[in-house]
Amino acid sequence: MTRIMDFVAAFFGLLLLSPVVMVLWTVLYFEHGKPIFIQTRVGKNQKPFRLVKFRSMSPKAANLPTHEISADLITRTGKFIRATKLDELPQLWNVLKGEMSLVGPRPCLPTQDELISERSKRNVFNIRPGITGPAQVRNIDMSTPKLLAETDEQLVQSLSVAEYLKYVLLTVTGSGQGDTVRN
């Protein structure tokens, strides 16, 4: 059921929000020439996929987890799109393709060995990663791998249509702050 909801939401989300996507793409293009950020992440069954986001950091930022990157690398527009979660809009494409869900554990980098190990122990990779979920709305980020994996495990065990809708609603109404960056 959630795959159908994902597909419908992603399709209509991309369709209805295409003017916003085009404006953001243009603004980000003129800000630093590279509006889209593509990064390999770990998906369902630990299969790698290419996650798509709007670029919120300088193109010279290292390919590291967000909590390991200096906040100085976030661009002026990046601060706004991260605060409003608009940087996540292109991930609707990943949802449409079936690589992600709207609700699930945030996909990690293949280099995050501790988090991958903790998630593997808890069967977190049995479901698609998501744009949002309990960890995001509770501000639990990848800097605490064990806590994050435990929270993800709870999601895997309790995900229902009602829970799915709850996390989508909480995210749309502003819960959570996204991944922490170093100061």
mmCIF file of all heavy atoms in Angstrom, residues 101-153:
data_model
loop_
_atom_site.group_PDB
_atom_site.id
_atom_site.type_symbol
_atom_site.label_atom_id
_atom_site.label_comp_id
_atom_site.label_asym_id
_atom_site.label_seq_id
_atom_site.Cartn_x
_atom_site.Cartn_y
_atom_site.Cartn_z
ATOM 1 N N SER A 101 11.192 5.760 -0.423
ATOM 2 C CA SER A 101 9.809 5.960 -0.021
ATOM 3 C C SER A 101 9.711 7.368 0.555
ATOM 4 O O SER A 101 10.728 7.990 0.853
ATOM 5 C CB SER A 101 9.451 4.934 1.052
ATOM 6 O OG SER A 101 8.155 5.163 1.554
ATOM 7 N N LEU A 102 8.505 7.867 0.710
ATOM 8 C CA LEU A 102 8.379 9.142 1.418
ATOM 9 C C LEU A 102 8.787 8.945 2.874
ATOM 10 O O LEU A 102 9.431 9.808 3.468
ATOM 11 C CB LEU A 102 6.943 9.672 1.352
ATOM 12 C CG LEU A 102 6.458 10.192 0.010
ATOM 13 C CD1 LEU A 102 5.024 10.694 0.137
ATOM 14 C CD2 LEU A 102 7.361 11.282 -0.532
ATOM 15 N N VAL A 103 8.435 7.803 3.452
ATOM 16 C CA VAL A 103 8.721 7.524 4.860
ATOM 17 C C VAL A 103 9.610 6.289 4.965
ATOM 18 O O VAL A 103 9.300 5.240 4.409
ATOM 19 C CB VAL A 103 7.415 7.308 5.657
ATOM 20 C CG1 VAL A 103 7.720 6.949 7.100
ATOM 21 C CG2 VAL A 103 6.523 8.539 5.580
ATOM 22 N N GLY A 104 10.712 6.455 5.678
ATOM 23 C CA GLY A 104 11.648 5.358 5.891
ATOM 24 C C GLY A 104 12.904 5.898 6.531
ATOM 25 O O GLY A 104 13.025 7.097 6.785
ATOM 26 N N PRO A 105 13.871 5.045 6.784
ATOM 27 C CA PRO A 105 15.137 5.517 7.343
ATOM 28 C C PRO A 105 15.895 6.334 6.303
ATOM 29 O O PRO A 105 15.881 5.989 5.121
ATOM 30 C CB PRO A 105 15.891 4.230 7.681
ATOM 31 C CG PRO A 105 15.171 3.126 7.003
ATOM 32 C CD PRO A 105 13.827 3.603 6.600
ATOM 33 N N ARG A 106 16.518 7.432 6.736
ATOM 34 C CA ARG A 106 17.295 8.237 5.788
ATOM 35 C C ARG A 106 18.431 7.401 5.229
ATOM 36 O O ARG A 106 19.125 6.711 5.974
ATOM 37 C CB ARG A 106 17.875 9.476 6.476
ATOM 38 C CG ARG A 106 16.866 10.546 6.764
ATOM 39 C CD ARG A 106 16.222 11.155 5.542
ATOM 40 N NE ARG A 106 17.186 11.886 4.741
ATOM 41 C CZ ARG A 106 17.060 12.100 3.441
ATOM 42 N NH1 ARG A 106 16.023 11.644 2.788
ATOM 43 N NH2 ARG A 106 17.973 12.766 2.786
ATOM 44 N N PRO A 107 18.639 7.426 3.922
ATOM 45 C CA PRO A 107 19.709 6.616 3.333
ATOM 46 C C PRO A 107 21.086 7.177 3.711
ATOM 47 O O PRO A 107 21.313 8.377 3.680
ATOM 48 C CB PRO A 107 19.446 6.728 1.834
ATOM 49 C CG PRO A 107 18.711 8.011 1.665
ATOM 50 C CD PRO A 107 17.905 8.197 2.917
ATOM 51 N N CYS A 108 21.970 6.275 4.083
ATOM 52 C CA CYS A 108 23.311 6.700 4.490
ATOM 53 C C CYS A 108 24.304 6.536 3.344
ATOM 54 O O CYS A 108 23.996 5.960 2.305
ATOM 55 C CB CYS A 108 23.766 5.893 5.709
ATOM 56 S SG CYS A 108 23.875 4.105 5.436
ATOM 57 N N LEU A 109 25.493 7.056 3.579
ATOM 58 C CA LEU A 109 26.588 6.901 2.623
ATOM 59 C C LEU A 109 27.200 5.508 2.770
ATOM 60 O O LEU A 109 27.205 4.944 3.864
ATOM 61 C CB LEU A 109 27.672 7.945 2.889
ATOM 62 C CG LEU A 109 27.290 9.401 2.664
ATOM 63 C CD1 LEU A 109 28.356 10.327 3.224
ATOM 64 C CD2 LEU A 109 27.088 9.666 1.192
ATOM 65 N N PRO A 110 27.752 4.948 1.695
ATOM 66 C CA PRO A 110 28.381 3.624 1.783
ATOM 67 C C PRO A 110 29.593 3.605 2.718
ATOM 68 O O PRO A 110 30.024 2.537 3.139
ATOM 69 C CB PRO A 110 28.805 3.318 0.348
ATOM 70 C CG PRO A 110 28.181 4.329 -0.517
ATOM 71 C CD PRO A 110 27.718 5.467 0.338
ATOM 72 N N THR A 111 30.122 4.763 3.062
ATOM 73 C CA THR A 111 31.294 4.849 3.945
ATOM 74 C C THR A 111 30.928 4.897 5.428
ATOM 75 O O THR A 111 31.813 4.880 6.280
ATOM 76 C CB THR A 111 32.112 6.107 3.608
ATOM 77 O OG1 THR A 111 31.258 7.256 3.723
ATOM 78 C CG2 THR A 111 32.681 6.032 2.203
ATOM 79 N N GLN A 112 29.650 4.941 5.748
ATOM 80 C CA GLN A 112 29.224 5.032 7.146
ATOM 81 C C GLN A 112 29.114 3.628 7.744
ATOM 82 O O GLN A 112 28.031 3.117 8.032
ATOM 83 C CB GLN A 112 27.913 5.808 7.248
ATOM 84 C CG GLN A 112 28.106 7.285 6.926
ATOM 85 C CD GLN A 112 26.808 8.048 6.999
ATOM 86 O OE1 GLN A 112 25.977 7.944 6.099
ATOM 87 N NE2 GLN A 112 26.644 8.809 8.075
ATOM 88 N N ASP A 113 30.265 3.018 7.940
ATOM 89 C CA ASP A 113 30.346 1.616 8.361
ATOM 90 C C ASP A 113 29.609 1.332 9.668
ATOM 91 O O ASP A 113 28.917 0.316 9.785
ATOM 92 C CB ASP A 113 31.811 1.183 8.491
ATOM 93 C CG ASP A 113 32.539 1.220 7.157
ATOM 94 O OD1 ASP A 113 31.880 1.014 6.111
ATOM 95 O OD2 ASP A 113 33.763 1.463 7.151
ATOM 96 N N GLU A 114 29.774 2.200 10.668
ATOM 97 C CA GLU A 114 29.135 1.946 11.962
ATOM 98 C C GLU A 114 27.606 1.950 11.826
ATOM 99 O O GLU A 114 26.923 1.072 12.349
ATOM 100 C CB GLU A 114 29.582 2.984 12.996
ATOM 101 C CG GLU A 114 29.035 2.719 14.381
ATOM 102 C CD GLU A 114 29.485 3.733 15.415
ATOM 103 O OE1 GLU A 114 30.284 4.641 15.111
ATOM 104 O OE2 GLU A 114 29.000 3.626 16.559
ATOM 105 N N LEU A 115 27.078 2.923 11.091
ATOM 106 C CA LEU A 115 25.629 2.992 10.897
ATOM 107 C C LEU A 115 25.137 1.798 10.085
ATOM 108 O O LEU A 115 24.109 1.192 10.408
ATOM 109 C CB LEU A 115 25.240 4.308 10.222
ATOM 110 C CG LEU A 115 23.756 4.520 9.950
ATOM 111 C CD1 LEU A 115 22.923 4.383 11.228
ATOM 112 C CD2 LEU A 115 23.530 5.882 9.304
ATOM 113 N N ILE A 116 25.853 1.429 9.051
ATOM 114 C CA ILE A 116 25.470 0.273 8.235
ATOM 115 C C ILE A 116 25.448 -0.993 9.088
ATOM 116 O O ILE A 116 24.510 -1.799 9.007
ATOM 117 C CB ILE A 116 26.400 0.124 7.012
ATOM 118 C CG1 ILE A 116 26.138 1.281 6.032
ATOM 119 C CG2 ILE A 116 26.217 -1.237 6.333
ATOM 120 C CD1 ILE A 116 27.155 1.393 4.914
ATOM 121 N N SER A 117 26.448 -1.162 9.935
ATOM 122 C CA SER A 117 26.506 -2.323 10.816
ATOM 123 C C SER A 117 25.320 -2.346 11.786
ATOM 124 O O SER A 117 24.661 -3.384 11.950
ATOM 125 C CB SER A 117 27.824 -2.313 11.600
ATOM 126 O OG SER A 117 27.847 -3.348 12.543
ATOM 127 N N GLU A 118 25.039 -1.195 12.409
ATOM 128 C CA GLU A 118 23.921 -1.113 13.362
ATOM 129 C C GLU A 118 22.588 -1.373 12.664
ATOM 130 O O GLU A 118 21.710 -2.048 13.204
ATOM 131 C CB GLU A 118 23.903 0.255 14.056
ATOM 132 C CG GLU A 118 25.059 0.492 15.010
ATOM 133 C CD GLU A 118 25.003 -0.379 16.256
ATOM 134 O OE1 GLU A 118 23.915 -0.846 16.650
ATOM 135 O OE2 GLU A 118 26.075 -0.604 16.845
ATOM 136 N N ARG A 119 22.422 -0.832 11.457
ATOM 137 C CA ARG A 119 21.173 -1.047 10.724
ATOM 138 C C ARG A 119 21.048 -2.497 10.264
ATOM 139 O O ARG A 119 19.953 -3.056 10.254
ATOM 140 C CB ARG A 119 21.091 -0.091 9.531
ATOM 141 C CG ARG A 119 20.728 1.322 9.933
ATOM 142 C CD ARG A 119 20.682 2.241 8.743
ATOM 143 N NE ARG A 119 20.012 3.495 9.071
ATOM 144 C CZ ARG A 119 19.944 4.514 8.242
ATOM 145 N NH1 ARG A 119 20.476 4.446 7.025
ATOM 146 N NH2 ARG A 119 19.317 5.616 8.603
ATOM 147 N N SER A 120 22.157 -3.106 9.870
ATOM 148 C CA SER A 120 22.129 -4.509 9.433
ATOM 149 C C SER A 120 21.671 -5.417 10.558
ATOM 150 O O SER A 120 20.864 -6.334 10.344
ATOM 151 C CB SER A 120 23.510 -4.947 8.952
ATOM 152 O OG SER A 120 23.842 -4.291 7.761
ATOM 153 N N LYS A 121 22.178 -5.181 11.779
ATOM 154 C CA LYS A 121 21.791 -5.991 12.943
ATOM 155 C C LYS A 121 20.290 -5.914 13.195
ATOM 156 O O LYS A 121 19.708 -6.826 13.761
ATOM 157 C CB LYS A 121 22.492 -5.477 14.210
ATOM 158 C CG LYS A 121 23.950 -5.735 14.301
ATOM 159 C CD LYS A 121 24.435 -5.171 15.645
ATOM 160 C CE LYS A 121 25.848 -4.688 15.548
ATOM 161 N NZ LYS A 121 26.289 -4.011 16.781
ATOM 162 N N ARG A 122 19.689 -4.810 12.800
ATOM 163 C CA ARG A 122 18.278 -4.553 13.126
ATOM 164 C C ARG A 122 17.346 -4.699 11.911
ATOM 165 O O ARG A 122 16.202 -4.283 11.959
ATOM 166 C CB ARG A 122 18.160 -3.148 13.713
ATOM 167 C CG ARG A 122 18.849 -3.023 15.054
ATOM 168 C CD ARG A 122 18.933 -1.562 15.508
ATOM 169 N NE ARG A 122 19.448 -1.481 16.862
ATOM 170 C CZ ARG A 122 20.737 -1.579 17.185
ATOM 171 N NH1 ARG A 122 21.641 -1.756 16.235
ATOM 172 N NH2 ARG A 122 21.118 -1.492 18.443
ATOM 173 N N ASN A 123 17.859 -5.224 10.813
ATOM 174 C CA ASN A 123 17.063 -5.458 9.593
ATOM 175 C C ASN A 123 16.444 -4.179 9.025
ATOM 176 O O ASN A 123 15.389 -4.217 8.397
ATOM 177 C CB ASN A 123 15.968 -6.504 9.850
ATOM 178 C CG ASN A 123 16.550 -7.841 10.212
ATOM 179 O OD1 ASN A 123 17.515 -8.287 9.592
ATOM 180 N ND2 ASN A 123 15.998 -8.468 11.237
ATOM 181 N N VAL A 124 17.096 -3.053 9.224
ATOM 182 C CA VAL A 124 16.585 -1.776 8.721
ATOM 183 C C VAL A 124 16.628 -1.724 7.196
ATOM 184 O O VAL A 124 15.795 -1.067 6.570
ATOM 185 C CB VAL A 124 17.363 -0.596 9.355
ATOM 186 C CG1 VAL A 124 17.004 0.730 8.721
ATOM 187 C CG2 VAL A 124 17.114 -0.562 10.866
ATOM 188 N N PHE A 125 17.560 -2.450 6.597
ATOM 189 C CA PHE A 125 17.684 -2.417 5.136
ATOM 190 C C PHE A 125 16.614 -3.252 4.435
ATOM 191 O O PHE A 125 16.627 -3.374 3.212
ATOM 192 C CB PHE A 125 19.086 -2.868 4.708
ATOM 193 C CG PHE A 125 20.157 -1.895 5.103
ATOM 194 C CD1 PHE A 125 21.092 -2.227 6.077
ATOM 195 C CD2 PHE A 125 20.229 -0.648 4.511
ATOM 196 C CE1 PHE A 125 22.081 -1.335 6.439
ATOM 197 C CE2 PHE A 125 21.204 0.258 4.869
ATOM 198 C CZ PHE A 125 22.130 -0.085 5.841
ATOM 199 N N ASN A 126 15.679 -3.822 5.199
ATOM 200 C CA ASN A 126 14.585 -4.593 4.597
ATOM 201 C C ASN A 126 13.529 -3.700 3.957
ATOM 202 O O ASN A 126 12.666 -4.200 3.240
ATOM 203 C CB ASN A 126 13.919 -5.487 5.643
ATOM 204 C CG ASN A 126 14.806 -6.655 6.046
ATOM 205 O OD1 ASN A 126 15.851 -6.893 5.452
ATOM 206 N ND2 ASN A 126 14.392 -7.363 7.072
ATOM 207 N N ILE A 127 13.561 -2.400 4.249
ATOM 208 C CA ILE A 127 12.590 -1.481 3.639
ATOM 209 C C ILE A 127 13.336 -0.388 2.876
ATOM 210 O O ILE A 127 14.529 -0.167 3.083
ATOM 211 C CB ILE A 127 11.625 -0.851 4.684
ATOM 212 C CG1 ILE A 127 12.368 0.057 5.654
ATOM 213 C CG2 ILE A 127 10.851 -1.941 5.422
ATOM 214 C CD1 ILE A 127 11.449 0.878 6.557
ATOM 215 N N ARG A 128 12.605 0.287 2.003
ATOM 216 C CA ARG A 128 13.196 1.393 1.243
ATOM 217 C C ARG A 128 13.556 2.535 2.192
ATOM 218 O O ARG A 128 12.809 2.827 3.124
ATOM 219 C CB ARG A 128 12.204 1.932 0.227
ATOM 220 C CG ARG A 128 12.048 1.109 -0.991
ATOM 221 C CD ARG A 128 11.101 1.825 -1.976
ATOM 222 N NE ARG A 128 10.619 0.895 -2.943
ATOM 223 C CZ ARG A 128 9.570 0.095 -2.776
ATOM 224 N NH1 ARG A 128 8.866 0.154 -1.679
ATOM 225 N NH2 ARG A 128 9.220 -0.753 -3.700
ATOM 226 N N PRO A 129 14.667 3.206 1.916
ATOM 227 C CA PRO A 129 14.968 4.406 2.695
ATOM 228 C C PRO A 129 13.948 5.486 2.360
ATOM 229 O O PRO A 129 13.273 5.407 1.325
ATOM 230 C CB PRO A 129 16.373 4.791 2.227
ATOM 231 C CG PRO A 129 16.497 4.202 0.865
ATOM 232 C CD PRO A 129 15.645 2.954 0.868
ATOM 233 N N GLY A 130 13.842 6.470 3.222
ATOM 234 C CA GLY A 130 12.822 7.490 3.017
ATOM 235 C C GLY A 130 13.339 8.912 3.108
ATOM 236 O O GLY A 130 14.457 9.168 3.552
ATOM 237 N N ILE A 131 12.493 9.813 2.687
ATOM 238 C CA ILE A 131 12.777 11.239 2.793
ATOM 239 C C ILE A 131 12.589 11.694 4.234
ATOM 240 O O ILE A 131 13.309 12.545 4.734
ATOM 241 C CB ILE A 131 11.885 12.051 1.831
ATOM 242 C CG1 ILE A 131 12.215 11.688 0.379
ATOM 243 C CG2 ILE A 131 12.047 13.547 2.070
ATOM 244 C CD1 ILE A 131 11.299 12.325 -0.651
ATOM 245 N N THR A 132 11.621 11.103 4.906
ATOM 246 C CA THR A 132 11.353 11.468 6.295
ATOM 247 C C THR A 132 10.974 10.229 7.096
ATOM 248 O O THR A 132 10.757 9.163 6.544
ATOM 249 C CB THR A 132 10.247 12.529 6.408
ATOM 250 O OG1 THR A 132 10.230 13.036 7.743
ATOM 251 C CG2 THR A 132 8.884 11.978 6.035
ATOM 252 N N GLY A 133 10.909 10.415 8.391
ATOM 253 C CA GLY A 133 10.543 9.346 9.303
ATOM 254 C C GLY A 133 10.705 9.825 10.726
ATOM 255 O O GLY A 133 10.942 11.013 10.970
ATOM 256 N N PRO A 134 10.597 8.924 11.690
ATOM 257 C CA PRO A 134 10.658 9.332 13.093
ATOM 258 C C PRO A 134 11.989 9.991 13.468
ATOM 259 O O PRO A 134 12.013 10.931 14.259
ATOM 260 C CB PRO A 134 10.437 8.034 13.866
ATOM 261 C CG PRO A 134 10.687 6.943 12.903
ATOM 262 C CD PRO A 134 10.386 7.486 11.556
ATOM 263 N N ALA A 135 13.089 9.507 12.931
ATOM 264 C CA ALA A 135 14.386 10.114 13.270
ATOM 265 C C ALA A 135 14.429 11.577 12.823
ATOM 266 O O ALA A 135 14.922 12.441 13.558
ATOM 267 C CB ALA A 135 15.528 9.323 12.638
ATOM 268 N N GLN A 136 13.905 11.864 11.644
ATOM 269 C CA GLN A 136 13.942 13.238 11.139
ATOM 270 C C GLN A 136 13.066 14.161 11.970
ATOM 271 O O GLN A 136 13.478 15.265 12.280
ATOM 272 C CB GLN A 136 13.496 13.283 9.665
ATOM 273 C CG GLN A 136 14.524 12.721 8.707
ATOM 274 C CD GLN A 136 14.680 11.218 8.854
ATOM 275 O OE1 GLN A 136 13.717 10.479 8.994
ATOM 276 N NE2 GLN A 136 15.908 10.758 8.853
ATOM 277 N N VAL A 137 11.869 13.727 12.317
ATOM 278 C CA VAL A 137 10.978 14.618 13.061
ATOM 279 C C VAL A 137 11.416 14.765 14.517
ATOM 280 O O VAL A 137 11.030 15.715 15.185
ATOM 281 C CB VAL A 137 9.486 14.210 12.961
ATOM 282 C CG1 VAL A 137 9.027 14.228 11.506
ATOM 283 C CG2 VAL A 137 9.215 12.879 13.600
ATOM 284 N N ARG A 138 12.260 13.829 14.991
ATOM 285 C CA ARG A 138 12.785 13.930 16.366
ATOM 286 C C ARG A 138 14.205 14.489 16.406
ATOM 287 O O ARG A 138 14.857 14.472 17.444
ATOM 288 C CB ARG A 138 12.782 12.545 17.021
ATOM 289 C CG ARG A 138 11.394 11.985 17.237
ATOM 290 C CD ARG A 138 11.487 10.636 17.945
ATOM 291 N NE ARG A 138 10.243 9.920 17.803
ATOM 292 C CZ ARG A 138 10.144 8.609 17.648
ATOM 293 N NH1 ARG A 138 11.225 7.846 17.639
ATOM 294 N NH2 ARG A 138 8.971 8.041 17.525
ATOM 295 N N ASN A 139 14.710 14.931 15.252
ATOM 296 C CA ASN A 139 16.060 15.505 15.144
ATOM 297 C C ASN A 139 17.164 14.537 15.561
ATOM 298 O O ASN A 139 18.155 14.926 16.160
ATOM 299 C CB ASN A 139 16.168 16.813 15.942
ATOM 300 C CG ASN A 139 15.277 17.882 15.377
ATOM 301 O OD1 ASN A 139 15.218 18.061 14.160
ATOM 302 N ND2 ASN A 139 14.569 18.575 16.226
ATOM 303 N N ILE A 140 17.009 13.275 15.213
ATOM 304 C CA ILE A 140 18.059 12.278 15.437
ATOM 305 C C ILE A 140 18.787 12.136 14.106
ATOM 306 O O ILE A 140 18.178 11.752 13.109
ATOM 307 C CB ILE A 140 17.467 10.923 15.878
ATOM 308 C CG1 ILE A 140 16.684 11.092 17.182
ATOM 309 C CG2 ILE A 140 18.574 9.878 16.013
ATOM 310 C CD1 ILE A 140 15.837 9.880 17.551
ATOM 311 N N ASP A 141 20.054 12.484 14.088
ATOM 312 C CA ASP A 141 20.760 12.432 12.811
ATOM 313 C C ASP A 141 21.834 11.347 12.801
ATOM 314 O O ASP A 141 21.958 10.564 13.741
ATOM 315 C CB ASP A 141 21.314 13.802 12.418
ATOM 316 C CG ASP A 141 22.439 14.274 13.321
ATOM 317 O OD1 ASP A 141 22.997 13.463 14.091
ATOM 318 O OD2 ASP A 141 22.771 15.466 13.238
ATOM 319 N N MET A 142 22.624 11.322 11.754
ATOM 320 C CA MET A 142 23.594 10.251 11.551
ATOM 321 C C MET A 142 24.831 10.375 12.434
ATOM 322 O O MET A 142 25.703 9.517 12.376
ATOM 323 C CB MET A 142 23.955 10.172 10.076
ATOM 324 C CG MET A 142 22.773 9.742 9.239
ATOM 325 S SD MET A 142 23.205 9.487 7.532
ATOM 326 C CE MET A 142 21.607 9.082 6.844
ATOM 327 N N SER A 143 24.901 11.410 13.258
ATOM 328 C CA SER A 143 26.040 11.548 14.170
ATOM 329 C C SER A 143 25.899 10.610 15.371
ATOM 330 O O SER A 143 26.847 10.443 16.131
ATOM 331 C CB SER A 143 26.182 12.999 14.639
ATOM 332 O OG SER A 143 25.063 13.383 15.421
ATOM 333 N N THR A 144 24.727 10.001 15.536
ATOM 334 C CA THR A 144 24.494 9.032 16.616
ATOM 335 C C THR A 144 24.006 7.720 15.995
ATOM 336 O O THR A 144 22.814 7.407 16.030
ATOM 337 C CB THR A 144 23.457 9.578 17.626
ATOM 338 O OG1 THR A 144 22.265 9.931 16.912
ATOM 339 C CG2 THR A 144 23.978 10.794 18.364
ATOM 340 N N PRO A 145 24.928 6.950 15.400
ATOM 341 C CA PRO A 145 24.531 5.775 14.612
ATOM 342 C C PRO A 145 23.675 4.752 15.353
ATOM 343 O O PRO A 145 22.706 4.246 14.789
ATOM 344 C CB PRO A 145 25.859 5.151 14.185
ATOM 345 C CG PRO A 145 26.882 6.197 14.382
ATOM 346 C CD PRO A 145 26.369 7.142 15.411
ATOM 347 N N LYS A 146 24.019 4.447 16.601
ATOM 348 C CA LYS A 146 23.260 3.423 17.320
ATOM 349 C C LYS A 146 21.835 3.897 17.602
ATOM 350 O O LYS A 146 20.867 3.168 17.364
ATOM 351 C CB LYS A 146 23.964 3.030 18.619
ATOM 352 C CG LYS A 146 23.292 1.859 19.301
ATOM 353 C CD LYS A 146 24.065 1.353 20.492
ATOM 354 C CE LYS A 146 23.329 0.141 21.039
ATOM 355 N NZ LYS A 146 23.735 -0.213 22.358
ATOM 356 N N LEU A 147 21.691 5.126 18.105
ATOM 357 C CA LEU A 147 20.360 5.679 18.379
ATOM 358 C C LEU A 147 19.542 5.770 17.097
ATOM 359 O O LEU A 147 18.357 5.444 17.074
ATOM 360 C CB LEU A 147 20.475 7.054 19.044
ATOM 361 C CG LEU A 147 19.162 7.796 19.298
ATOM 362 C CD1 LEU A 147 18.254 6.995 20.224
ATOM 363 C CD2 LEU A 147 19.449 9.182 19.867
ATOM 364 N N LEU A 148 20.181 6.196 16.019
ATOM 365 C CA LEU A 148 19.489 6.299 14.735
ATOM 366 C C LEU A 148 19.013 4.923 14.279
ATOM 367 O O LEU A 148 17.849 4.759 13.883
ATOM 368 C CB LEU A 148 20.396 6.930 13.685
ATOM 369 C CG LEU A 148 19.817 7.069 12.282
ATOM 370 C CD1 LEU A 148 18.531 7.883 12.289
ATOM 371 C CD2 LEU A 148 20.839 7.690 11.345
ATOM 372 N N ALA A 149 19.884 3.925 14.360
ATOM 373 C CA ALA A 149 19.503 2.569 13.935
ATOM 374 C C ALA A 149 18.374 2.008 14.802
ATOM 375 O O ALA A 149 17.474 1.335 14.295
ATOM 376 C CB ALA A 149 20.720 1.650 13.969
ATOM 377 N N GLU A 150 18.407 2.293 16.100
ATOM 378 C CA GLU A 150 17.329 1.827 16.986
ATOM 379 C C GLU A 150 16.000 2.492 16.616
ATOM 380 O O GLU A 150 14.953 1.840 16.602
ATOM 381 C CB GLU A 150 17.683 2.136 18.444
ATOM 382 C CG GLU A 150 18.810 1.285 18.981
ATOM 383 C CD GLU A 150 19.375 1.765 20.323
ATOM 384 O OE1 GLU A 150 19.010 2.871 20.798
ATOM 385 O OE2 GLU A 150 20.197 1.025 20.885
ATOM 386 N N THR A 151 16.050 3.784 16.305
ATOM 387 C CA THR A 151 14.848 4.510 15.891
ATOM 388 C C THR A 151 14.337 3.972 14.556
ATOM 389 O O THR A 151 13.136 3.787 14.369
ATOM 390 C CB THR A 151 15.143 6.026 15.795
ATOM 391 O OG1 THR A 151 15.690 6.466 17.038
ATOM 392 C CG2 THR A 151 13.900 6.815 15.470
ATOM 393 N N ASP A 152 15.267 3.703 13.636
ATOM 394 C CA ASP A 152 14.892 3.128 12.338
ATOM 395 C C ASP A 152 14.254 1.753 12.511
ATOM 396 O O ASP A 152 13.289 1.414 11.835
ATOM 397 C CB ASP A 152 16.124 3.000 11.434
ATOM 398 C CG ASP A 152 16.710 4.341 11.017
ATOM 399 O OD1 ASP A 152 15.992 5.355 11.067
ATOM 400 O OD2 ASP A 152 17.901 4.355 10.645
ATOM 401 N N GLU A 153 14.788 0.957 13.435
ATOM 402 C CA GLU A 153 14.246 -0.376 13.695
ATOM 403 C C GLU A 153 12.798 -0.286 14.179
ATOM 404 O O GLU A 153 11.934 -1.068 13.751
ATOM 405 C CB GLU A 153 15.093 -1.093 14.743
ATOM 406 C CG GLU A 153 14.586 -2.485 15.086
ATOM 407 C CD GLU A 153 15.416 -3.154 16.173
ATOM 408 O OE1 GLU A 153 15.959 -2.455 17.052
ATOM 409 O OE2 GLU A 153 15.510 -4.388 16.126
#
